[in-house]
Amino acid sequence: MRRIHWRMDTQGSLISWDNVTQRTTQKPKRTGYALHKLDFRVVTQPGEPLFALQVLPTFSRLATHWASTRTVFIEHGGRKNTLLRMPIGHTKHSDGQWMPYAHDYAAEVLEACGMDFTAWPTNDDLAALRGQMRALVPAPVPHVLGKGVGTRFNKILADHINGTFKRPKIIQVSFEPTDVELTRPTKGAVARADLDHALAATGSDTVRIIALYNDGTTRKRMTEALAAYTSTPERPLDCGDHQDHRLSQRLVVRFHRLRALDHAKQVDRVGELDFLDQLQDDAVNGAWVETIWNPGSDRHRPAPSAPHRCPR
């Protein structure tokens, strides 16, 4: 089994600087390089006196040119056991080649710490892994070596940690099945079947949406959006203003026209919100505010229509 000599960088990670992983493909003809990297995280839990040390194995894929790179590892001249991890930027020379420079205050910090390097490597140097620097491939792009270290490396690392750490004594974190189930976070709109389950997290039996609008087309757009939570999702919600309309066991909606939203003239803004004082129940209230796209223009505004009424 090949042994890896780890070297620490200036952010506390361990880098396999002298053990570069390489892979070459024939079609297309490409060669990729990468370094193994171990990041360390201290994890604490409320009420737990001990902390957990998480060892996170990752892959630092090496760039073979300077284009788009943002981070570089440097084997500086003074203390060669420590690698400098430094942010970089780019500038375009007269010959059309992009060359890096130390980003932000990295150059000043480098000088203050007595760290130095001879010169910036060329693209050819990066491709051949020559010199004191190794630039990292920027965020996710296709690479010959893929994205991660693989299951085999994780298993070997875990066995090595358990067999190496003697002092202080470590206890490997284990997981046991319980009756508690966690659902996967929902992306996008909540399905009607899951609506009441999601609203149970509020701790209230009733959640009220106060839908505020001023324009008829805006109200129509809101009723169309709420149709998905009714028993007839193919038709817009049919209900009037100033009263609760139940969408599910927990959810109700109340429409209210608020002229202050997009009215060109001065209105009594405080007076228009007096209706909120009538909501004295234990429901959790949330406001949904919609305006027309261009409040200063009457173009495309429909003619006044009859008041919205809720069938009895």
Side-chain angles (χ1 to χ4, degrees):
M1 181 183 297
R2 186 180 64 173
R3 292 185 175 273
I4 298 178
H5 175 65
W6 298 98
R7 297 173 63 176
M8 183 177 291
D9 72 359
T10 46
Q11 293 190 13
S13 299
L14 296 181
I15 312 294
S16 62
W17 181 265
D18 301 313
N19 303 97
V20 179
T21 300
Q22 174 181 342
R23 180 171 180 248
T24 300
T25 59
Q26 300 300 326
K27 295 182 179 180
K29 182 70 174 180
R30 293 184 304 173
T31 300
Y33 305 95
L35 297 171
H36 285 79
K37 179 163 67 75
L38 302 181
D39 294 328
F40 298 88
R41 304 287 186 269
V42 174
V43 182
T44 60
Q45 293 289 339
E48 173 58 55
L50 301 178
F51 66 85
L53 179 64
Q54 179 188 23
V55 183
L56 182 63
T58 61
F59 223 32
S60 292
R61 298 171 297 174
L62 301 181
T64 55
H65 51 76
W66 287 112
S68 302
T69 54
R70 296 191 295 268
T71 307
V72 65
F73 288 133
I74 302 177
E75 184 184 40
H76 54 87
R79 304 173 182 84
K80 289 194 174 182
N81 286 330
T82 303
L83 302 172
L84 174 65
R85 188 191 306 188
M86 188 174 72
I88 59 174
H90 304 84
T91 184
K92 198 170 187 178
H93 286 191
S94 57
D95 58 358
Q97 296 293 323
W98 288 94
M99 289 300 294
Y101 63 88
H103 196 54
D104 295 332
Y105 293 97
E108 288 84 345
V109 173
L110 202 67
E111 182 179 358
C113 294
M115 302 177 182
D116 59 355
F117 54 90
T118 54
W120 293 100
T122 64
N123 287 330
D124 293 337
D125 292 332
L126 289 181
L129 300 181
R130 293 192 298 263
Q132 300 171 263
M133 294 190 192
R134 292 174 185 171
L136 305 188
V137 172
V141 295
H143 194 269
V144 175
L145 284 164
K147 297 181 179 180
V149 297
T151 305
R152 182 183 302 176
F153 181 86
N154 290 333
K155 175 66 167 58
I156 294 175
L157 175 64
D159 292 342
H160 177 74
I161 292 175
N162 287 331
T164 302
F165 275 80
K166 303 300 182 183
R167 293 182 180 179
K169 182 179 179 181
I170 63 171
I171 303 173
Q172 186 169 355
V173 176
S174 60
F175 298 90
E176 298 179 357
T178 66
D179 296 332
V180 179
E181 294 185 3
L182 299 178
T183 58
R184 186 180 299 275
T186 301
K187 295 183 179 179
V190 179
R192 184 174 185 268
D194 301 328
L195 187 60
D196 286 331
H197 179 69
L199 294 177
T202 64
S204 176
D205 293 333
T206 303
V207 176
R208 179 186 291 111
I209 298 176
I210 305 173
L212 302 176
Y213 72 97
N214 184 39
D215 188 78
T217 54
T218 303
R219 189 186 195 280
K220 183 174 183 296
R221 186 168 68 245
M222 299 171 81
T223 58
E224 291 173 347
L226 290 172
Y229 300 104
T230 68
S231 58
T232 56
E234 69 281 357
R235 299 199 303 269
L237 179 66
D238 186 12
C239 82
D241 289 5
H242 314 302
Q243 57 185 335
D244 289 342
H245 182 83
R246 186 163 296 278
L247 298 177
S248 70
Q249 182 179 353
R250 290 181 180 269
L251 183 64
V252 298
V253 61
R254 174 179 295 203
F255 281 87
H256 189 90
R257 184 178 182 185
L258 199 66
R259 297 174 62 85
L261 287 178
D262 53 19
H263 201 270
K265 298 180 180 180
Q266 186 174 1
V267 295
D268 183 7
R269 300 177 183 274
V270 177
E272 287 206 337
L273 295 175
D274 285 344
F275 74 94
L276 294 175
D277 296 332
Q278 304 171 11
L279 307 178
Q280 300 294 334
D281 52 18
D282 295 330
V284 173
N285 295 296
W288 176 17
V289 182
E290 287 279 347
T291 64
I292 60 176
W293 177 253
N294 185 3
S297 173
D298 288 335
R299 190 174 61 174
H300 304 309
R301 184 190 294 268
S305 58
H308 302 282
R309 301 183 183 279
C310 185
R312 298 181 180 276

